[in-house]
């Protein structure tokens, strides 16, 4: 797959082990130019160093919970690239306290934060990306099967992923007339910094490997290669879909 001449923005790169970076790296290897966003100054140098490894790419500040910063990042991307053809939303957050204990104990503010950061942020990103996708484009979000099933320890984040997936379908419907496709990848458990905050994560990985038809866990490059396909013209007829990359775990009843 050749993405030479294509440009896009990847939101959610935190370090070199994050899913967002694995996706960015493979898109860069395919010839794309990228804008990688970082949430705050603490991450600035780390993300800037990663951006330097992808020819013609830049790093831009963007806290996606701030509408002004969202507006600015698209203005800067427009100046740097002229247009874009893809966007990757790999953003999620919930208070650690809301990922442990009982779901019924989730506080109102914790619920709001999880839904705002993990689900709502996709909406303004798509809205601002669309005018830059002059010839159409592809938008990818990252989700997890907890949107549909109960995973102890995932709690409010499962609710947020359910909202995110509905947003994917709603946005796919609204922007299809502009030849903009919106899909999500539902990845199996991966060793990322965010995963460490999930209670029982190691048990989750073990059970996935035991029950999945492929009898193993996935690796992050398998998610990245799926994203590469979705960002390319090879996926031109796919939109509004949740694509599982989980070694087949999602098909198993027991």
């Amino acid at each position: 797959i050749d993405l030479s001449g294509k440009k896009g923005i990847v939101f959610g790169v935190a370090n070199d082990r994050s899913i967002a970076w694995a996706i960015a790296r493979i898109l860069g290897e395919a010839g794309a130019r990228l804008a990688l966003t970082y949430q705050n100054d603490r991450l600035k140098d780390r993300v800037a160093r990663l951006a330097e490894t992808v020819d013609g790419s830049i790093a831009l500040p963007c806290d996606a919970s701030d509408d002004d910063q969202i507006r600015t990042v698209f203005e800067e991307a427009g100046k740097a690239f002229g247009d874009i053809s893809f966007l990757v939303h790999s953003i999620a957050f919930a208070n650690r306290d809301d990922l442990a204990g009982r779901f019924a104990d989730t506080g109102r503010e914790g619920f709001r934060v999880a839904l705002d950061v993990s689900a709502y942020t996709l909406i303004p990103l798509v809205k601002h990306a669309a005018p830059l996708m002059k010839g159409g484009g592809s938008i990818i979000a990252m989700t997890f099967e907890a949107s549909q099933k109960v995973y102890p320890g995932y709690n409010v984040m499962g609710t947020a992923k359910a909202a995110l997936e509905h947003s994917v379908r709603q946005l796919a419907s609204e922007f299809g007339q502009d030849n903009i496709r919106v899909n999500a990848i539902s990845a199996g458990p991966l060793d990322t910094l965010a995963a460490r905050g999930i209670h029982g994560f190691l048990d989750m990985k073990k059970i996935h490997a035991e029950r999945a038809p492929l009898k193993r866990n996935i690796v992050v490059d398998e998610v990245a290669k799926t994203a590469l396909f979705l960002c390319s013209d090879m996926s031109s007829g796919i939109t509004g879909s949740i694509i599982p990359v989980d070694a087949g775990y999602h098909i198993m009843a027991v």
Side-chain angles (χ1 to χ4, degrees):
I1 294 176
D2 185 3
L3 296 184
S4 298
K6 304 287 189 181
K7 290 91 68 176
I9 309 175
V10 179
F11 290 84
V13 176
N15 55 47
D16 60 0
R17 296 188 64 186
S18 63
I19 296 173
W21 170 242
I23 293 172
R25 187 187 69 243
I26 202 167
L27 295 176
E29 290 171 354
R33 292 177 63 194
L34 307 172
L36 307 183
T37 73
Y38 55 89
Q39 182 185 13
N40 51 43
D41 287 342
R42 181 174 60 84
L43 299 175
K44 179 179 179 179
D45 291 343
R46 187 184 306 165
V47 175
R49 285 194 297 269
L50 292 173
E52 289 172 358
T53 68
V54 181
D55 288 345
S57 297
I58 58 176
L60 297 171
C62 186
D63 180 341
S65 64
D66 185 322
D67 289 332
D68 289 337
Q69 290 192 42
I70 289 175
R71 188 177 303 107
T72 299
V73 80
F74 283 98
E75 289 173 354
E76 293 300 316
K79 292 175 185 176
F81 297 153
D83 59 16
I84 62 173
S85 57
F86 61 83
L87 181 150
V88 177
H89 175 286
S90 185
I91 303 170
F93 176 81
N95 292 325
R96 183 177 291 271
D97 290 346
D98 292 323
L99 296 177
R102 302 196 316 157
F103 176 67
D105 293 330
T106 306
R108 188 181 299 273
E109 180 62 12
F111 188 93
R112 185 198 66 77
V113 168
L115 271 288
D116 180 24
V117 176
S118 308
Y120 175 76
T121 51
L122 178 65
I123 299 170
L125 294 191
V126 174
K127 182 176 72 173
H128 285 281
L132 294 178
M133 294 182 165
K134 298 168 185 176
S138 175
I139 292 163
I140 304 170
M142 297 303 306
T143 188
F144 182 57
E145 194 188 27
S147 63
Q148 305 295 322
K149 300 176 183 177
V150 175
Y151 278 75
Y154 211 72
N155 290 5
V156 69
M157 189 58 77
T159 307
K161 292 300 187 184
L164 177 71
E165 290 181 15
H166 178 76
S167 298
V168 164
R169 291 186 287 271
Q170 193 82 34
L171 292 165
S173 174
E174 290 186 9
F175 287 90
Q177 63 186 358
D178 301 318
N179 196 31
I180 294 172
R181 297 175 289 111
V182 188
N183 295 288
I185 298 173
S186 182
L190 290 165
D191 290 317
T192 63
L193 183 63
R196 296 175 191 172
I198 301 172
H199 180 71
F201 175 73
L202 294 179
D203 291 334
M204 186 190 301
K205 276 193 68 180
K206 181 175 182 290
I207 292 168
H208 266 74
E210 290 173 348
R211 298 184 183 176
L214 296 182
K215 301 303 179 187
R216 64 173 176 83
N217 291 122
I218 64 164
V219 295
V220 71
D221 281 354
E222 291 173 309
V223 176
K225 285 185 282 189
T226 304
L228 174 61
F229 163 72
L230 289 173
C231 286
S232 77
D233 292 339
M234 294 182 72
S235 62
S236 60
I238 302 173
T239 195
S241 295
I242 311 301
I243 300 176
V245 181
D246 63 357
Y249 181 85
H250 69 284
I251 71 171
M252 302 304 293
V254 293

